[in-house]
Amino acid sequence: LPNWLQGTLLRNGPGIFTVGETTYNHWFDGMALMQSFTFQDGEVIYRSRYLRGDTYKDNMAANRIVVSEMGTMAYPDPGKNIISKAITFLNHTVPDFTDNCGNNFIRYGKDYYATSETNYIRKIDPMTLETQDKVDYQKYIAVNLATSHPHYDKEGNTYNMGTSIAEKGKTKYIFFKVPADSAGETAKASPAIKSLEVICSVPCRSLLSPSYYHSFGMTDNYFIFIEQPFKLDILKMATAYMRRVNWASCLKFFPKENTLIHVIDKKTGKEVDIKYYTNAMVVYHHVNAFEEDGHVIFDVIAYEDHSLYNMFYLNVLKEQSTSFTMCVPKCKRFALPVQTDSTLDVGEDLVKLKYTTASAVKDKDGKLLCQPEVLCESVELPRINYDFNGRKYRFVYMTCVAMSAVATEIMKFDTETKEITKWREDNCWPSEPVFIPRPNGEGEDDGLVLTSVINSSPGESGFILVLDAKSFKEVARAYVNSELYMDMHGYFIPKAN
């Protein structure tokens, strides 16, 4: 291992799927298991620990699943009295969501939190993986849901967004900022999240059917938000428990509706004057966004429908069922002109960049119909050199997914030459590849790529794999004398932090 690789890679994902005689239906629902790989002086230390939040404690105390998740509705023990059942019903009509934060990690100031997409996050100790304070976003901002993919600037500020449902008769998407911790180095410094600032809001096009989103884009001057026709029906959510269906069934895709693209000026908090739209699609992950020659360019992983979620039901994963198919995810590049000439003719393409085939054509209403360039396909979980976040970039590191939602390869993709370089090994399932820049490195891909790998080869254990980012060749691997779990997302903390 290179001596300069010093720090901790945190990984988060589901780890417990059965409690007593009850079992979760969906892989995303499993109780969170945190894993970490600490690189120090040429060695690796592995740790894992369950997130011991209220959900974990309540389920374990009851020896059954008693807290509902998106794909699994929890019902009371049949032996409980009618009052307990009535309380459970009321809790699901106006749901108090789970704190099973098993999707990612977020940094606010100097604090680290395990997160999913509900209004709850859990502070953790990133070195010991100890579960600490439960934090409710609603104490600081009126959001019911928030993303687990924020953005960070070079000053240490964190930017995120969430959905406020029917607050004072309005449903809206709110962008907010958590400033870098400015209270000094003292142990008693107030958590940075207490200084949360609302930047702006975007009205939802439907009061009781907000769009689902998992991430958003950011450049130096703009936020990019995709309001896709993949919607959460709030009224159906309120009656889901009574109808004995899960909350995920209240998500519906509308393939005949357009996808709206909102570009918001970070300084003024207002949308640009131009209205953008594209065909129906479902996006979970943004890759990157940047500005050039009067355009905002952004790359996303896009699907033509919402079939991905169904691929992660446990019965589908276990049976490797062929009756379920998912559409191919494609890495798409959009180019949005942010300044236009009102005298331009209807039908004219306003994109003037020579290196992309993405278009933005003016329609009769003055809106721009945006069609993307497909950069590559069968990819997911994109990561970049984060020093290039919001800037023009070249390289992206992704998992390769073809007929299955579970990756068997990872790859490096060159957005300029379209060159693809892959790593794979028999009987191995790599996780999201995380780029670590070399200190004072030369070039965007001067660094390492880390991925934890589940290994089913007889007599072999899982390992953390270290690749040279330029060549995508193996530098080192550290086998772990413990079972590794398939996870979702991760965060690298340099030793200096």
Side-chain angles (χ1 to χ4, degrees), residues 97-372:
F97 289 121
T98 177
D99 70 341
N100 180 31
C101 303
N103 187 272
N104 203 356
F105 295 98
I106 285 180
R107 175 179 58 78
Y108 286 135
K110 293 182 175 65
D111 299 320
Y112 294 88
Y113 299 86
T115 175
S116 57
E117 293 177 324
T118 73
N119 56 297
Y120 292 118
I121 54 178
R122 293 296 310 217
K123 185 180 176 184
I124 59 124
D125 183 320
M127 297 311 300
T128 66
L129 302 183
E130 177 189 0
T131 304
Q132 299 180 339
D133 301 337
K134 180 180 181 179
V135 175
D136 185 351
Y137 275 121
Q138 293 187 346
K139 289 186 177 180
Y140 311 106
I141 183 173
V143 294
N144 307 87
L145 306 165
T147 87
S148 56
H149 289 284
H151 289 276
Y152 309 94
D153 64 19
K154 288 179 170 53
E155 287 72 42
N157 303 306
T158 305
Y159 299 84
N160 207 347
M161 68 175 294
T163 303
S164 177
I165 300 172
E167 172 72 13
K168 297 180 180 178
K170 296 180 180 180
T171 295
K172 55 190 176 182
Y173 311 104
I174 302 178
F175 291 85
F176 61 91
K177 169 184 172 182
V178 176
D181 195 349
S182 58
E185 301 293 333
T186 63
K188 295 182 180 179
S190 178
I193 196 170
K194 290 188 175 181
S195 302
L196 183 151
E197 305 168 7
V198 172
I199 299 174
C200 63
S201 64
V202 174
C204 174
R205 57 175 161 177
S206 176
L207 175 65
L208 294 176
S209 297
S211 173
Y212 171 80
Y213 54 94
H214 186 68
S215 61
F216 63 101
M218 187 178 84
T219 68
D220 287 342
N221 296 298
Y222 300 101
F223 295 119
I224 300 98
F225 168 54
I226 296 174
E227 190 176 12
Q228 54 199 12
F230 185 32
K231 303 178 183 180
L232 187 60
D233 190 315
I234 303 304
L235 293 180
K236 286 186 176 179
M237 277 196 74
T239 60
Y241 181 83
M242 180 177 61
R243 293 183 291 115
R244 301 191 74 83
V245 297
N246 61 24
W247 286 323
S249 68
C250 306
L251 276 167
K252 187 175 181 182
F253 179 59
F254 296 86
K256 294 183 179 180
E257 287 190 15
N258 290 325
T259 297
L260 306 184
I261 303 172
H262 301 277
V263 179
I264 301 104
D265 188 305
K266 287 168 62 179
K267 294 182 178 64
T268 66
K270 296 180 179 179
E271 287 193 63
V272 299
D273 293 334
I274 308 164
K275 301 300 180 184
Y276 310 93
Y277 69 98
T278 189
N279 299 332
M281 64 179 183
V282 174
V283 170
Y284 298 98
H285 295 115
H286 282 247
V287 182
N288 198 10
F290 58 94
E291 303 167 37
E292 187 172 35
D293 295 337
H295 298 73
V296 168
I297 300 95
F298 69 93
D299 301 338
V300 294
I301 309 298
Y303 296 79
E304 294 178 358
D305 61 31
H306 65 302
S307 57
L308 177 68
Y309 185 86
N310 294 334
M311 296 295 291
F312 282 94
Y313 276 103
L314 292 180
N315 63 328
V316 177
L317 288 173
K318 288 175 181 176
E319 297 169 8
Q320 297 183 341
S321 174
T322 57
S323 61
F324 283 89
T325 58
M326 71 174 193
C327 67
V328 175
K330 298 176 181 178
C331 184
K332 295 184 176 182
R333 168 162 290 181
F334 288 84
L336 312 181
V338 290
Q339 295 176 343
T340 64
D341 184 347
S342 59
T343 63
L344 292 173
D345 294 333
V346 172
E348 186 169 346
D349 182 5
L350 277 62
V351 176
K352 305 304 179 186
L353 302 172
K354 294 183 179 180
Y355 58 80
T356 181
T357 58
S359 63
V361 175
K362 184 177 180 180
D363 70 12
K364 60 182 177 59
D365 297 320
K367 300 176 182 179
L368 297 188
L369 171 59
C370 304
Q371 298 293 359

